[in-house]
Amino acid sequence: MASTSGTKDEVGPPRSLSRRMMTRSSTMYDPNADGVDSELVPSSLATIAPILRVANEIEKDNERVAYLCRFHAFEKAHRMDPKSSGRGVRQFKTYLLHRLQKEEEKTKPILTRSDPSEIQKFYQNFYEKNIREGQYTKKPEEMAKIYQIATVLYDVLRTVVPPAKVDSKTQDYAKNVEENKEQYEHYNILPLYPVGKKPAIMELSEIKASLQAVRNIDNLPPVRRVGDRDKPFNDILEWLSSIFGFQKGNVANQREHLILLLANIDRRLKGSEDYEQLDNLTVKQLLDKTFKNYVSWCHYLHCTPIIESPKVPATADRQQLQLLYIALYLLIWGEASNIRFMPECICYIFHNMANEMHGTLFGNVQPVSGGTYQAAPVGEETFLRDVITPIYEVLRKEARRNQGGKVSHASWRNYDDLNEYFWSDRCFKLGWPMDRKSDFFIHSSESSRHRHPTERNQAVGKKKPKTNFVEVRTFWHLYRSFDRMWIFLILVFQAMVIVGWHEDGSIFGIFEEDVIKSILSIFITYAVLNFIQATLDIILSFSAWGSLKPTQILRYLLKFIIAAFWVVIFPICYSRSVPNPTGLVRFFSTLGGNWREQSLYNYLIAIYLIPNILAVLLFLLPPIRRHMERSNWRIVTLLMWWAQPKLYVGRGMHEDICSLLKYTLFWIMLLISKFAFSYYVEILPLIGPTKLIMNMTVSNYEWHEFFPNVTHNIGVVIAIWAPIVMVYFMDTQIWYAIYATIVGGIYGAFSHLGEIRTLGMLRSRFESVPSAFNERLVPMQKDEPKSDRHEDSLWIRKNIAKFSQVWNEFIFSMRTEDLISDSERNLLLVPYAVSDVPVVQWPPFLLASKIPIALDMAKDYKGTEDADLFRKITSDDYMRSAVIECYQTLKEILYALLDDERDKMILDYICHEIETSIAQRTFLSKFRMSELPSLNDKLEKFLEHLLKDDVDPEKYDSQIINVLQDIMEIITQDVMSNGHEILERVHSHYPDNEKRERFEQINYRLTALRAGREKVVRLCLLLTVKESAINVPTNLEARRRITFFANSLYMRMPNAPVVRNMLSFSVLTPYYKEDVLYSEDELHRENEDGISILFYLQKIYPDEWKNFNERTKGIRGTPEETDEIRKWVSYRGQTLSRTGFVTILTCLILNGLLWGVTYFHRVKSFFIIRIRLLF
């Protein structure tokens, strides 16, 4: 090739490289394989995968050109790794070399011209056939693939053909491909370069305004680019990429990301339909959200945030500059890899890169000529190589020290430890560009000869210790972690024992002077417990002292010294206040010398409690504490230093005053109950027996051999007090459970939690479910009236129509998951369309047995007044709805079924007679109720015939006609008292006196239509379903979902916004190596007990397996059935198969449909494209 031959005359691929590589043997790939799978290319040679993919694509059209593409890939791989040191590179190159040798022998004899002519001719034909003609006939995704192939072909062509021999036609085609390929690039959500008619999403005003703002590159200084120097920038992200060297794919992803964020915020702020300019407030709001942590980090380190820099000229375009900040941060985050887990490290990177961007924008004017400096062009992976990779190597080194979790946590640093390096201003010692010899990049002192060549330039030295905290596993953590709880319980226990020991043990004894003096001894206990806490702090944090600041170490030591001081001074001062001291008290009293200031102990207590009093005040005033913790003033930092070590995270995390008061009141009531119970039930009853036992004298006491000569009763006292002390420390949890249950129940009642817990409660309140659904989940339209809506029947029916869309999708989803059967699905569905039925069409499971009961009531009714019968039926709203719906639905079905006008006239007269008699209260006198059961039996048979499938057409027709004639005969002859008059009246309208039978001309297409069949099915259910439908559904999981869905509608929640105004969100599903879908072999593989996964799940979920068989009965014995079985098993056995994120698309489309049909059609494609990003 021209690029490697060194001469202009050589027109074919050189053989020198092949000869050099001929001796390498194949150890990985089969040289006799027919194709090269680009997915098997070693990761270090990933850039040649597109070339091999193109070779596979064009091999069927021209084998010689495919050979040239593979040879170009081989040469490129050899230049990238000449020594084949990468993993799998040697095997791959050996395999590819064998393949090239075979293709050279195969393709050279059929070569009609030289290689340069062959590839140029093929390139021109490919362009004319696929690009020039295909741009009008092929889909955009197909054109994107074609342009990618054309780009790779031209790269190969330039290595085969010398530059002087590339004809002008080929150059024109290549230039056209380069100019237009961006229009067909793959995209995630936004087709920024659409061909032909713009998609609906690109017509949204917020998208157009955001795109216009991102593409505003006015006033940006020119920047050199690697290649394509004359090609202009399309937007600010390409300009940033040219400065810092971001990857092209990252730029494309973050471009869409930024546009969608801006459009989402702008839409929620403006709300207007049409506008062209992006609001400055939109950019400011996104800037504040994006850099909230960065600004806090800068203030913590006492440095000025770049986004608030005073050096920005007043004439600068603020919106453009703010967009540059946001775009730069998103581009950094897009390539940060695992460094995303180190947010303050990203802040440091952004701080320095934004400062560098400032230099390019405002500080690059040459002092003499007045021109601008143009930095040297950077490659596409410069940022990844120079910024991310060094930090990633530190992470990788630390992860290796972990040794798969076998090494102690204290011997290696995790993400948090490395991130805490950037919590202090010493991180600025890294410099920019970062100094690779800085202490942050120091790894363990392993020998350099065992290290990878790319790692030998990194700093080597003593391993850095852990930061701030090193876990030491000990039971003392039970006391150290909950020290305030233990101290409080111990002090209160001591005080209650002192009060109970005094005289009669009355609680009012606490006001006596001698009792108060005794109670003050609890501060000695308090000092001892604090001393234990200070000692544990030093012992358990000693492993982290190597990385702690000197001020933190000083704090530990001062706390220990001061705690030790109080442990000594309190006993001394207290003993001096006790008259006639004895024993240990007398010893402490002599340590104080001759001074006897009795009030000194009280003064010391007051001094000792000052920090606690201040802590209580700050606790009761959370805004002040929050402000002090977040403050970076040095005086406030000094004041807060004693209370807790200053850390970047966890500052100012306090609730508001109202929540704090409710929380405090809860615990005050709980502790009062707990201590009252402990004092009067546990402690006080033991005081008397303890005094009696202590006063008993034992002269001859024989006990266990461990204590052969005990002369006191202390052992008995300990034995009777030990269980009480244990219960005293443990019953706080019991009291908490009691109070949490009471308070939680009250709060849940006011918050409407658990309004619907069973199917019975759901049936009793289902009438209000649609209105609750409309209030919570249906976006409110601006022009919708708000008065008297609940009394408007039209508004109620409209609610039912909207509710049915979501409810039915919910039911269909459970049927798809085989939680319910087909019959249960039909009983739970609500009709979609609003028909002519004047009542609400409730789901059939609510109307179960209503028609049979109404028929029995009518048949057994002995009265003559219509009002009494109608009152009994209408007293049950569901029964009234069922009766009216049955009548109207049967009327519609018969009208649609009859083709003859005379038959329709008969039906008209019958319906008119029924409606007139009801209005005139003469129904019972004109219709015989005793014949209704026989009519019901015929109707059931008639509907069953209509629903039959796969029957003989002639037999089907005759059966329907016969049953229909029987029905009409029963109505006119048996039920109606004057039915013959109706028939005579119809005959009088037609003087021809036709003698053929009536009701023979039938429209058999009724059940072929979905709407007609649904009516027939629903009417059949209303007539036939008995009491058993009340327990639908039978599956426990289906019941839980239905009750949870209905219950959630009554909870207090914000009203749902329009989908277009919703906050942008993403669904992240963690995935490593889990099996998402079981293979067919795994389904039937038996374990040591001879049980397969499929067999086990069939026994665990027998009802769901039965529903599955019912759903798949039409695909038995086909590959589709096997796939469905795999999905059924995986959904119940694999976590990732049931994550549920797939339903987001359906939810958004349904929400858009609730907003309006016009709006739904406008943004439906937006929903679909947007959700595809999740997959």
Side-chain angles (χ1 to χ4, degrees), residues 62-277:
N62 194 311
E63 295 181 352
R64 185 64 180 181
V65 176
Y67 161 78
L68 295 176
C69 290
R70 293 192 182 98
F71 194 91
H72 173 63
F74 179 82
E75 281 192 320
K76 190 173 183 179
H78 187 67
R79 288 195 301 269
M80 294 172 63
D81 193 353
K83 297 182 179 180
S84 301
S85 57
R87 183 176 182 179
V89 173
R90 184 181 301 275
Q91 296 92 323
F92 176 77
K93 289 166 67 175
T94 303
Y95 158 69
L96 189 55
L97 182 60
H98 283 287
R99 173 67 183 263
L100 290 173
Q101 290 175 350
K102 291 175 58 179
E103 291 186 352
E104 168 69 14
E105 299 175 357
K106 179 181 178 181
T107 60
K108 192 170 184 179
I110 62 175
L111 186 63
T112 58
R113 54 179 70 86
S114 62
D115 284 337
S117 300
E118 185 76 20
I119 193 170
Q120 284 196 84
K121 186 63 176 177
F122 179 80
Y123 180 80
Q124 294 171 6
N125 293 336
F126 181 85
Y127 177 89
E128 294 168 355
K129 178 182 178 181
N130 295 283
I131 297 180
R132 179 189 294 173
E133 300 175 2
Q135 60 182 338
Y136 304 107
T137 59
K138 297 183 182 296
K139 297 179 180 180
E141 53 270 21
E142 296 176 342
M143 291 301 299
K145 183 178 180 181
I146 291 171
Y147 270 95
Q148 184 180 11
I149 295 175
T151 302
V152 173
L153 280 177
Y154 188 69
D155 291 338
V156 177
L157 185 147
R158 288 189 299 177
T159 61
V160 176
V161 184
K165 294 187 177 182
V166 178
D167 57 32
S168 59
K169 187 177 181 180
T170 302
Q171 293 178 356
D172 293 340
Y173 287 170
K175 185 177 180 180
N176 183 269
V177 169
E178 187 65 23
E179 291 175 352
N180 297 325
K181 67 179 181 179
E182 290 183 352
Q183 299 180 6
Y184 297 97
E185 286 185 348
H186 293 287
Y187 59 89
N188 296 321
I189 302 173
L190 299 176
L192 298 177
Y193 307 102
V195 179
K197 184 179 179 181
K198 289 186 178 180
I201 186 174
M202 300 305 298
E203 296 294 339
L204 299 177
S205 54
E206 59 266 30
I207 295 292
K208 292 191 289 185
S210 302
L211 184 59
Q212 180 182 355
V214 170
R215 287 180 174 176
N216 178 22
I217 57 174
D218 297 339
N219 304 321
L220 293 181
V223 180
R224 295 182 183 178
R225 308 179 69 174
V226 177
D228 298 333
R229 297 184 178 181
D230 298 332
K231 186 176 181 180
F233 298 106
N234 291 322
D235 49 52
I236 58 176
L237 290 99
E238 288 189 2
W239 186 81
L240 289 171
S241 177
S242 299
I243 297 177
F244 301 109
F246 294 108
Q247 297 180 71
K248 186 177 180 181
N250 178 34
V251 172
N253 289 333
Q254 300 309 324
R255 179 187 293 113
E256 295 188 21
H257 189 190
L258 177 58
I259 293 173
L260 289 174
L261 288 176
L262 291 171
N264 184 266
I265 297 176
D266 202 49
R267 173 66 187 179
R268 285 184 282 109
L269 288 179
K270 291 183 177 179
S272 57
E273 287 296 330
D274 296 319
Y275 55 90
E276 297 180 357
Q277 296 295 328

Side-chain angles (χ1 to χ4, degrees), residues 817 1041 1065-1071 1076 1131 1134-1149 1167-1168 1170-1175:
E817 297 171 13
R1041 291 191 187 185
F1065 67 97
S1066 300
V1067 175
L1068 302 178
T1069 303
Y1071 172 77
V1076 180
Y1131 181 82
Q1134 292 293 344
T1135 304
L1136 285 176
S1137 294
R1138 56 177 182 267
T1139 51
F1141 64 87
V1142 182
T1143 59
I1144 294 179
L1145 172 61
T1146 305
C1147 294
L1148 289 177
I1149 291 178
F1167 295 153
I1168 297 174
R1170 190 172 187 177
I1171 299 304
R1172 281 177 183 168
L1173 181 62
L1174 302 176
F1175 308 122

Side-chain angles (χ1 to χ4, degrees), residues 393-414 418 439-446 459-466:
E393 289 297 330
V394 177
L395 295 174
R396 190 165 63 91
K397 280 287 185 180
E398 294 297 335
R400 286 180 177 177
R401 289 199 187 115
N402 184 20
Q403 297 181 9
K406 300 178 181 178
V407 179
S408 172
H409 180 74
S411 62
W412 64 286
R413 296 178 294 172
N414 56 23
L418 294 170
D439 58 350
F440 178 80
F441 295 102
I442 292 179
H443 299 306
S444 59
S445 54
E446 58 178 326
V460 180
K462 186 178 179 181
K463 183 183 70 173
K464 297 278 297 177
K466 295 282 286 185

